[in-house]
Amino acid sequence: MILDLDIGNTLSKWRLKDRGTSEIRSRGAVWTREQWRPGADIPDLGVITAIRISNVARNEVLERTVSLLKRRVSTIHVARSGREALGVTNGYEEPGRLGVDRWLGSLAGYQLTGGCMVVDCGSAITMDIVLPGGRHLGGYILPGLRLMKESLQLGTRRVAIDPEVESGGLPGPGRNTIDAVNHGVYLAAISAINRIYSETCDREDMALPLLLTGGDARVVSRGVGPPHALWPDMVYAGLEALFPLTPAERAGRLSGAPLLPEPASLERIRAGLAFNSLL
């Protein structure tokens, strides 16, 4: 079995994958602040022959995790952002400072599409652009839905805010404070995604495929205008592409790869951008 670990700032997600069939056998998550040890929420390390890790938490978290795991499993692959991999050239001035989850998402997206915009809707919402030919342009970072709500909760007095409440569709004006906050936060996020996507396509003179991943991707996707696909396993797929261990992975078949919708025409994207600029 292969254990894939996606260690985030809030949650550490894991899955078990059969090394022969590429079947996903189980999944789970624990709080990143908790110690990684076998138990009800963590798989039996006795069945694991290899581990692949993506980590965006503190280095101490990674070091502690690897130290614990290598007592039981000898083969551990840790992904790190680099200057180039799998045909993609990192656009950061200091490539190692690009979050490895963003790097893995960019690698997976490029393998699937040959050029795309990747949006990861987690604690932060990140957007990365990879052009055909593999040039990563860099990207954008804004607070995620929950983080925006919590910042208002911390920065205001006597304002009732529930970070757990979700918005869906295209909400209208809130008629109470909780709805006003939730609707405003949601519209801020999707407006940024829609605008950045349109301006990127206009600037680069091409209609790029759009891929969404992360814990809030399904909620955010309801308000994203351009055709797009959800890929929950995108970071895991980046680990598969970087460290292929199964026959399917070595053949280039990545877990959960979605069917891609036809992007909107560049003319339609530009028309929408021009209309929005008049508002």
Side-chain angles (χ1 to χ4, degrees), residues 169-181:
L170 290 173
R175 300 186 65 184
N176 57 65
T177 301
I178 291 176
D179 285 348
V181 168

Side-chain angles (χ1 to χ4, degrees), residues 8-10 56 101-102 118-128 140-148 150 189 193 213-217 220:
N9 290 304
T10 305
V56 296
D101 54 343
R102 294 171 58 194
V118 173
V119 180
D120 191 332
C121 306
S123 299
I125 295 174
T126 64
M127 290 165 265
D128 284 273
Y140 303 84
I141 302 174
L142 61 146
L145 300 181
R146 184 183 181 92
L147 195 56
M148 280 194 265
E150 289 178 342
I193 293 169
T213 192
D216 286 330
V220 169

Side-chain angles (χ1 to χ4, degrees), residues 54-56 81 92 95-105 128 141:
S54 165
N55 173 68
V56 296
S81 300
Y92 258 35
R97 298 186 68 84
L98 175 67
V100 72
D101 54 343
R102 294 171 58 194
W103 181 234
L104 291 170
D128 284 273
I141 302 174

Side-chain angles (χ1 to χ4, degrees), residues 167-191:
S167 295
L170 290 173
R175 300 186 65 184
N176 57 65
T177 301
I178 291 176
D179 285 348
V181 168
N182 286 326
H183 296 183
V185 162
Y186 184 72
L187 287 170
I190 63 171
S191 297

Side-chain angles (χ1 to χ4, degrees), residues 228-243:
H228 57 276
L230 295 174
W231 194 357
D233 274 2
M234 189 183 297
V235 171
Y236 289 141
L239 285 172
E240 293 173 348
L242 204 55
F243 308 113

Side-chain angles (χ1 to χ4, degrees), residues 33-193:
R33 64 177 178 270
E34 294 179 358
Q35 187 178 19
W36 185 272
R37 57 183 183 274
D41 298 320
I42 295 174
D44 177 12
L45 297 180
V47 302
I48 295 166
T49 59
I51 299 172
R52 299 179 289 204
I53 300 176
S54 165
N55 173 68
V56 296
R58 301 184 315 277
N59 283 333
E60 306 91 274
V61 174
L62 176 63
E63 291 167 4
R64 186 170 66 248
T65 300
V66 171
S67 176
L68 287 168
L69 294 176
K70 70 180 181 182
R71 299 174 191 171
R72 303 288 299 275
V73 183
S74 59
T75 303
I76 300 178
H77 301 283
V78 178
R80 302 188 189 279
S81 300
R83 188 166 299 280
E84 189 278 334
L86 304 175
V88 178
T89 303
N90 194 322
Y92 258 35
E93 295 171 352
E94 299 179 62
R97 298 186 68 84
L98 175 67
V100 72
D101 54 343
R102 294 171 58 194
W103 181 234
L104 291 170
S106 297
L107 295 178
Y110 183 70
Q111 305 314 301
L112 180 67
T113 66
C116 60
M117 179 167 150
V118 173
V119 180
D120 191 332
C121 306
S123 299
I125 295 174
T126 64
M127 290 165 265
D128 284 273
I129 302 104
V130 183
L131 297 182
R135 185 162 66 97
H136 172 251
L137 298 183
Y140 303 84
I141 302 174
L142 61 146
L145 300 181
R146 184 183 181 92
L147 195 56
M148 280 194 265
K149 295 174 192 177
E150 289 178 342
S151 68
L152 282 171
Q153 194 173 39
L154 290 171
T156 55
R157 292 184 177 182
R158 293 192 294 183
V159 175
I161 299 171
D162 185 355
E164 300 294 338
V165 176
E166 293 181 352
S167 295
L170 290 173
R175 300 186 65 184
N176 57 65
T177 301
I178 291 176
D179 285 348
V181 168
N182 286 326
H183 296 183
V185 162
Y186 184 72
L187 287 170
I190 63 171
S191 297
I193 293 169

